[in-house]
Amino acid sequence: MGAGEEASPLLPKQEETAQGEAVPEQREAVGWTVDGVPIGHGNVMGSPVSRSQWNSSLLACLGRNDEFCTSDLEVCLLGTLFPCFLYGSNVERLTSTPGTFANHCLPYSSLYLLGRFLFGSNCLAPWFSYPSRTAIRRNFNLEGSCEALSRSCGCCRGYMEDDEQREQCESICDFATHFFCHQCALCQEGRELRRRLPHPGFNGRTVLVMLPPTEQMMEHKV
């Protein structure tokens, strides 16, 4: 799964030297540290902050009945009936790039139909879609499944302190979540993105800002 993660356009890519050798990914490329310290351009900015929690739980398919109630119902219907559309919409909103919907929706649909035809279940598409969960978790500094388990029961604390081992464990959990609870994972990610990011289609709209007139001073001639 490590190779699939590196190939995903949603995750940071490794740099290459002039000889074409891959340079190991630095922690700054992830955008956060194990203690939740925000990283900006290689420098630690601000004081340490704690991990953020997901806005809704994995099984809260109808959302939290707040101001996003209508959007949550739409996400639930898409995740249940048309997961390919929800996945494409999630990636388009995550990357804030209009036009990426088809580039992700079509391959997902192909794997979905192939899995249904060969195995009778949607067992192939999660291999393609799980990096989006990893990207969301990294971009918004969200608590992963391994960290949540360690915080609740106090186990594997030594293992969680190692940044590299912790991220490997969280990536495995991201894949397991998509494989065993695929539709619920897509819906949770959709709710999270809709609360945090506007649709990329709004980015191209012109916003008219009205400024009040400046105060004018009258000059008195002597």
Side-chain angles (χ1 to χ4, degrees), residues 15-35:
E15 299 179 356
E16 295 185 356
T17 61
Q19 291 78 14
E21 299 178 355
V23 178
E25 179 182 352
Q26 301 298 323
R27 192 170 62 179
E28 287 77 1
V30 175
W32 49 270
T33 65
V34 68
D35 295 324

Side-chain angles (χ1 to χ4, degrees), residues 1 3 6 13 22 24 29 99 114 122 128-129 147 150 163 186 188 195 210 217 220:
M1 281 181 293
E6 294 176 0
K13 298 180 180 179
L114 186 62
N122 185 19
F128 175 73
S129 62
E147 188 175 3
S150 176
D163 201 2
L186 288 180
Q188 184 188 30
R195 283 167 168 78
M210 301 296 294
M217 302 296 294
H220 296 278

Side-chain angles (χ1 to χ4, degrees), residues 161-173:
E161 291 177 356
D162 187 277
D163 201 2
E164 184 177 356
Q165 291 182 352
R166 175 187 173 278
E167 182 56 31
Q168 291 177 354
C169 179
E170 295 291 7
S171 298
I172 295 175
C173 289

Side-chain angles (χ1 to χ4, degrees), residues 2-199:
E5 181 177 336
E6 294 176 0
S8 173
L10 303 176
L11 301 176
K13 298 180 180 179
Q14 292 184 343
E15 299 179 356
E16 295 185 356
T17 61
Q19 291 78 14
E21 299 178 355
V23 178
E25 179 182 352
Q26 301 298 323
R27 192 170 62 179
E28 287 77 1
V30 175
W32 49 270
T33 65
V34 68
D35 295 324
V37 181
I39 296 179
H41 305 291
N43 298 322
V44 177
M45 305 296 294
S47 57
V49 295
S50 60
R51 283 275 189 267
S52 299
Q53 301 293 325
W54 288 81
N55 189 271
S56 57
S57 65
L58 182 66
L59 301 180
C61 297
L62 298 180
R64 301 190 308 166
N65 196 25
D66 54 7
E67 64 271 18
F68 290 89
C69 180
T70 303
S71 178
D72 292 342
L73 292 177
E74 178 187 350
V75 167
C76 182
L77 289 175
L78 287 176
T80 303
L81 302 177
F82 307 102
C84 55
F85 290 141
L86 180 58
Y87 171 71
S89 176
N90 289 348
V91 175
E92 185 179 31
R93 191 181 294 264
L94 176 62
T95 58
S96 298
T97 305
T100 59
F101 175 84
N103 294 334
H104 291 81
C105 180
L106 294 179
Y108 179 97
S109 301
S110 300
L111 293 174
Y112 177 87
L113 295 176
L114 186 62
R116 289 288 184 181
F117 178 76
L118 295 179
F119 305 101
S121 63
N122 185 19
C123 58
L124 298 181
W127 293 83
F128 175 73
S129 62
Y130 88 91
S132 65
R133 187 174 186 86
T134 303
I136 294 172
R137 178 173 53 80
R138 291 179 177 181
N139 288 348
F140 302 120
N141 196 28
L142 298 176
E143 186 179 60
S145 301
C146 291
E147 188 175 3
L149 180 63
S150 176
R151 176 176 54 81
S152 60
C153 65
C155 63
C156 304
R157 290 190 178 275
Y159 188 81
M160 290 292 101
E161 291 177 356
D162 187 277
D163 201 2
E164 184 177 356
Q165 291 182 352
R166 175 187 173 278
E167 182 56 31
Q168 291 177 354
C169 179
E170 295 291 7
S171 298
I172 295 175
C173 289
D174 292 338
F175 169 76
T177 302
H178 263 251
F179 190 83
F180 294 105
C181 304
H182 182 60
Q183 291 174 310
C184 291
L186 288 180
C187 290
Q188 184 188 30
E189 295 159 15
R191 293 191 299 269
E192 191 75 27
L193 290 172
R194 293 188 180 211
R195 283 167 168 78
R196 291 179 178 271
L197 298 175
H199 192 274

